[in-house]
């Protein structure tokens, strides 16, 4: 399932350093604007303790985690929607992702240039979000101008409906309300999805702090970001991108020691990956056996037949039934046979809505 999260922000806020940590790739992280011009794409595995337990139970030949893509997008600047700093090119890269991770600088360091000369995370967020909104408004205005006359002259029902929806979107953006906060119904969202609007994409704010501040109470900058995000009903993750980059070079044992020394229980990167996975509306089901234990990504709300297709198209074409048990039941009873003896294994049809943590065997015939 090909879904992407895009890392955005002003230049020199820690985006490429974060991307280095995410993918363990050596992406240029230079101390000047536009060091990243073309987007870099990396695959990340989703941390999942359930896989560890399943590996212990089945001792498989292969263990395969679920994954998705992160894209490192060049730093935006004020005026990007008008083409400043190659802005239009960068905005087009954001249109290609499904969710946004907006990195915000929340640390003071005179050795690292800030494109706006001072550290002010809310100002930085507003610069980015305004450029995204202006870009969306340009698309809205162009489309409304194109079909409004046709809709009014011909009284075309579909065109009139589209104009109405687009005008509502425009009015909200002009009031500084991103489209993701507007209560569109499913039909309206389907129409809007064809335009790849930037402000309709779900968002997480990443507050990038110094190594000294990662394990202590939020500094004034992080507090401001949390207050801003609260109004948007968005999540905030505090982490030190530099520290995460160092952690990514260590083995599991050394990583645990370093986390303990710093005073945090879990890598901020692991939290970011999980939260972004959830933000994308993704969940996980498992297939298990001696040959392979594997996690599979599916979109929440997908039925069993569509989930079977993720493994192979033949599974969907010849779908008969899905044998399903929950991870929690397997853990509780200790093995598959005891799950069945306690009446907790079941056969589900094609319309069964898959749940996060389901363990499945698909019956099919082609």
């Amino acid at each position: 399932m090909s879904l992407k999260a895009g890392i955005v922000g002003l230049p020199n806020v820690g985006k490429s350093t974060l991307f280095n940590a995410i993918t363990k790739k050596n992406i240029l992280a230079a101390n000047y604007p536009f060091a990243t011009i073309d987007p870099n794409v990396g695959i990340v595995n989703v941390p999942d303790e359930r896989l560890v337990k399943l590996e212990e139970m089945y001792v498989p030949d292969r263990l395969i985690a679920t994954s998705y893509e992160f894209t490192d997008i060049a730093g935006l600047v004020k005026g990007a929607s008008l083409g400043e700093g190659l802005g239009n090119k960068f905005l087009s890269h954001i249109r290609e992702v499904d969710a946004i991770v907006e990195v915000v600088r929340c640390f003071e360091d005179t050795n690292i240039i800030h494109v706006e000369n001072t550290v002010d995370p809310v100002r930085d967020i507003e610069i980015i979000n305004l450029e995204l909104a202006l870009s969306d408004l340009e698309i809205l205005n162009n489309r409304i101008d194109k079909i409004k006359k046709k809709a009014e002259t011909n009284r075309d029902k579909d065109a009139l409906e589209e104009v109405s929806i687009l005008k509502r979107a425009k009015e909200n953006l002009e009031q500084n309300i991103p489209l993701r906060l507007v209560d569109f119904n499913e039909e309206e969202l389907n129409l809007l999805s064809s335009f790849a609007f930037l402000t309709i994409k779900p968002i997480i704010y990443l507050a990038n702090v110094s190594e000294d501040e990662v394990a202590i109470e939020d500094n004034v900058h992080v507090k401001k970001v949390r207050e801003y995000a609260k109004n948007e009903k968005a999540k905030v993750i505090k982490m030190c991108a530099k520290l995460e980059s160092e952690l990514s070079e260590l083995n599991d044992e050394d990583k645990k020691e370093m986390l303990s020394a710093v005073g945090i229980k879990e890598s901020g990167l692991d939290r970011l990956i999980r939260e972004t996975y959830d933000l994308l509306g993704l969940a996980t089901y498992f297939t298990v056996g001696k040959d392979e234990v594997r996690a599979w990504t599916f979109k929440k709300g997908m039925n069993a037949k569509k989930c079977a297709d993720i493994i192979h198209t033949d599974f969907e074409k010849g779908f008969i039934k899905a044998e399903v048990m929950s991870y929690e039941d397997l853990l509780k009873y200790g093995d598959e046979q005891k799950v069945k003896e306690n009446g907790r294994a079941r056969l589900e049809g094609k319309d069964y809505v898959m749940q996060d943590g389901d363990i499945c065997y698909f019956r099919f015939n082609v």
Side-chain angles (χ1 to χ4, degrees), residues 321-332:
K321 291 284 184 181
E323 297 180 35
V324 183
M325 60 182 161
S326 72
Y327 167 80
E328 288 77 13
D329 283 339
L330 182 62
L331 202 63
K332 178 180 177 181

Side-chain angles (χ1 to χ4, degrees), residues 320-346:
I320 300 171
K321 291 284 184 181
E323 297 180 35
V324 183
M325 60 182 161
S326 72
Y327 167 80
E328 288 77 13
D329 283 339
L330 182 62
L331 202 63
K332 178 180 177 181
Y333 296 110
D335 63 47
E336 291 181 28
Q337 186 58 38
K338 288 179 182 175
V339 172
K340 292 175 182 177
E341 289 171 0
N342 283 275
R344 298 298 296 168
R346 59 197 190 276

Side-chain angles (χ1 to χ4, degrees), residues 29-271:
N31 184 22
Y32 55 87
F34 314 123
T36 308
I37 295 176
D38 295 319
N40 300 297
V41 179
I43 307 294
V44 296
N45 286 335
V46 179
D48 196 327
E49 285 296 320
R50 296 172 298 185
L51 266 183
V52 178
K53 290 288 184 184
L54 291 172
E55 183 180 27
E56 291 172 0
M57 295 175 78
Y58 288 89
V59 195
D61 296 334
R62 295 185 304 278
L63 182 73
I64 303 175
T66 190
S67 62
Y68 64 94
E69 292 185 6
F70 265 103
T71 303
D72 178 28
I73 296 167
L76 291 166
V77 293
K78 191 182 292 182
S81 59
L82 301 175
E84 291 294 325
L86 301 177
N88 282 326
K89 182 179 179 182
F90 300 159
L91 287 167
S92 72
H93 294 152
I94 303 173
R95 294 198 188 285
E96 296 170 5
V97 305
D98 302 286
I100 294 172
V101 177
E102 188 166 328
V103 182
V104 189
R105 178 169 167 176
C106 292
F107 64 89
E108 302 281 353
D109 188 337
T110 54
N111 294 316
I112 299 178
I113 300 164
H114 191 292
V115 72
E116 293 291 325
N117 299 316
T118 58
V119 177
D120 183 344
V122 171
R123 175 205 59 206
D124 294 355
I125 290 171
E126 288 178 343
I127 287 173
I128 295 289
N129 291 357
L130 176 61
E131 295 306 323
L132 302 185
L134 288 172
S135 182
D136 283 355
L137 276 169
E138 182 180 8
I139 290 173
L140 281 164
N141 286 328
N142 288 341
R143 180 61 181 171
I144 290 169
D145 289 345
K146 185 175 181 179
I147 67 166
K148 186 179 178 183
K149 187 174 181 181
K150 172 190 172 184
E152 292 174 348
T153 302
N154 301 334
R155 305 307 296 170
D156 182 288
K157 183 181 176 183
D158 291 340
L160 286 167
E161 181 67 19
E162 181 178 344
V163 169
S164 175
I165 295 167
L166 295 181
K167 280 185 174 179
R168 184 176 164 214
K170 178 183 175 181
E171 287 164 4
N172 277 278
L173 282 176
E174 288 175 340
Q175 293 173 46
N176 205 27
I177 300 170
L179 298 182
R180 62 181 163 270
L181 297 183
V182 182
D183 189 23
F184 294 112
N185 62 35
E186 188 175 347
E187 187 179 331
E188 291 167 335
L189 287 171
N190 285 337
L191 184 146
L192 293 171
S193 67
S194 63
F195 297 97
F197 288 122
L198 301 174
T199 64
I200 209 165
K201 299 179 188 295
I203 194 166
I204 283 180
Y205 293 104
L206 190 150
N208 188 17
V209 299
S210 68
E211 196 168 331
D212 295 336
E213 295 177 310
V214 72
I216 61 175
E217 183 183 349
D218 291 348
N219 65 28
V220 64
H221 298 311
V222 178
K223 287 177 180 176
K224 287 178 180 178
V225 174
R226 290 196 191 280
E227 192 61 33
Y228 184 95
K230 185 178 177 183
N231 295 328
E232 280 202 357
K233 300 175 185 174
K235 290 187 177 179
V236 175
I237 293 179
K238 180 176 82 170
M239 74 161 71
C240 172
K242 183 173 179 290
L243 173 64
E244 296 295 334
S245 187
E246 293 168 4
L247 286 167
S248 71
E249 300 297 325
L250 305 176
N251 61 38
D252 288 345
E253 200 58 42
D254 289 343
K255 182 178 173 181
K256 285 178 184 176
E257 283 186 25
M258 189 168 182
L259 286 170
S260 178
V262 173
I264 52 179
K265 293 181 180 179
E266 181 185 33
S267 158
L269 189 53
D270 285 350
R271 283 188 292 118

Side-chain angles (χ1 to χ4, degrees), residues 46-51 54 66 274 277-278 281-286 295-302 307 324-329 346 352-360:
V46 179
D48 196 327
E49 285 296 320
R50 296 172 298 185
L51 266 183
L54 291 172
T66 190
R274 280 202 307 273
Y277 189 73
D278 184 63
L282 303 178
T284 303
Y285 75 85
F286 302 96
W296 300 89
T297 298
F298 69 97
K299 195 85 172 171
K300 291 174 185 176
M302 284 178 68
C307 285
V324 183
M325 60 182 161
S326 72
Y327 167 80
E328 288 77 13
D329 283 339
R346 59 197 190 276
Y352 168 70
V353 177
M354 197 72 78
Q355 300 299 306
D356 183 63
D358 278 349
I359 297 171
C360 302

